[in-house]
Amino acid sequence: PNIINNYVGDYNWYNSSVTFLQQYYDVDFEIDYNAYISSVTVKVYEQTLGVGNKILDDTIIISTGNISLYKTDWRLIPSTFVPDYYIWEKLREGINYITLTAYDHLGTSTTLYDAFNILKDTTSPTVPILLTPVNNFSTNFFMLTFRWQPSTDLTSGTTGYLFEISKSSTFPMITYSSFVIVTEIPVMLTEETTYFWRVRGQDFAGNKSGYSNVFKVWVDTTSPTAPILTSPSSGTVSNT
């Protein structure tokens, strides 16, 4: 059999079987002699060219009848009586290298190593640590730059951070929010009040960290009233 790989590659990171099972692959199978395709199996390795540990042994993903060309896009789900997510659960965190083997009814087979990769990451990034302004910071400026330590994600990598400000420590309403790819953001606050801020990280697979601790900032740009002198009164003369 011939394996015709029309798939340019899957560079998306998957964090759940839900998104993974929505992906279809454009790899065709054909016979150019007097035979027909009987089945296609998949194997998964941790390195290229079938080197290293085998993550998944031969699993049938296509079973056919009397056809010489199979052009229907397919998903990585077993054709046997096991759950659709069976292959997904076998995949490791990180890069998985997919090997396909096509069989004809005469017992002849063709194998294609590294037909494509599957990128799996189900682990959330670490929680960011807030730096400045420090907690309970007070200022008479509206413009502030908020900074935090980066999240760590050893699989797909950190793609950015959700930054949020609220006027309540429980964040029932968001006063300001932004998704940034760096670990700081300048913000022009709009009024004199108490603000609370927090951050969470996100990786390339869409996994989100927990929220950071909540820090509080007071903004007060109004000068206090001038004191009124009471005693001794102006012009008082004293001999004591």
Side-chain angles (χ1 to χ4, degrees):
N2 296 321
I3 302 177
I4 306 165
N5 193 355
N6 304 308
Y7 196 65
V8 296
D10 191 353
Y11 304 106
N12 296 313
W13 285 92
Y14 296 97
N15 64 8
S16 74
S17 61
V18 174
T19 52
F20 171 72
L21 292 175
Q22 295 173 358
Q23 180 63 51
Y24 284 79
Y25 300 94
D26 183 10
V27 182
D28 301 333
F29 310 94
E30 69 174 1
I31 294 286
D32 55 8
Y33 51 90
N34 189 24
Y36 59 84
I37 302 291
S38 62
S39 64
V40 178
T41 66
V42 60
K43 292 189 288 288
V44 183
Y45 292 92
E46 67 176 11
Q47 297 181 38
T48 60
L49 299 176
V51 176
N53 292 330
K54 187 186 295 183
I55 300 168
L56 176 71
D57 210 345
D58 276 303
T59 300
I60 299 174
I61 55 173
I62 296 173
S63 295
T64 70
N66 187 21
I67 63 171
S68 59
L69 176 62
Y70 189 94
K71 289 182 62 67
T72 303
D73 292 352
W74 45 269
R75 296 182 292 164
L76 268 176
I77 59 175
S79 64
T80 52
F81 297 102
V82 294
D84 286 355
Y85 54 79
Y86 173 80
I87 294 175
W88 165 257
E89 289 193 339
K90 295 293 184 180
L91 300 179
R92 68 168 186 157
E93 298 275 305
I95 305 176
N96 299 268
Y97 297 92
I98 306 302
T99 293
L100 301 173
T101 301
Y103 296 87
D104 64 22
H105 79 289
L106 300 175
T108 304
S109 65
T110 299
T111 296
L112 174 63
Y113 289 97
D114 307 329
F116 50 86
N117 305 327
I118 304 276
L119 306 177
K120 179 178 180 179
D121 181 2
T122 63
T123 304
S124 298
T126 59
V127 176
I129 298 175
L130 305 187
L131 295 177
T132 57
V134 297
N135 195 23
N136 295 318
F137 180 74
S138 59
T139 179
N140 60 352
F141 292 97
F142 285 114
M143 174 61 75
L144 292 177
T145 297
F146 297 84
R147 297 182 175 89
W148 55 92
Q149 288 184 359
S151 296
T152 300
D153 189 283
L154 299 180
T155 306
S156 62
T158 303
T159 184
Y161 303 89
L162 177 63
F163 172 84
E164 295 179 336
I165 294 177
S166 178
K167 295 177 183 177
S168 169
S169 61
T170 59
F171 288 76
M173 296 183 63
I174 304 301
T175 304
Y176 176 90
S177 69
S178 181
F179 189 84
V180 295
I181 62 174
V182 293
T183 56
E184 65 176 51
I185 181 173
V187 178
M188 177 66 76
L189 302 174
T190 57
E191 59 184 296
E192 297 180 81
T193 189
T194 301
Y195 295 97
F196 300 87
W197 65 287
R198 65 184 182 181
V199 180
R200 74 188 307 184
Q202 180 173 314
D203 64 22
F204 282 94
N207 301 303
K208 297 178 176 63
S209 75
Y211 278 104
S212 66
N213 291 334
V214 176
F215 275 14
K216 179 166 60 175
V217 173
W218 283 284
V219 175
D220 182 1
T221 63
T222 302
S223 300
T225 59
I228 300 174
L229 304 183
T230 57
S231 65
S233 60
S234 178
T236 298
V237 176
S238 175
N239 62 358
T240 60

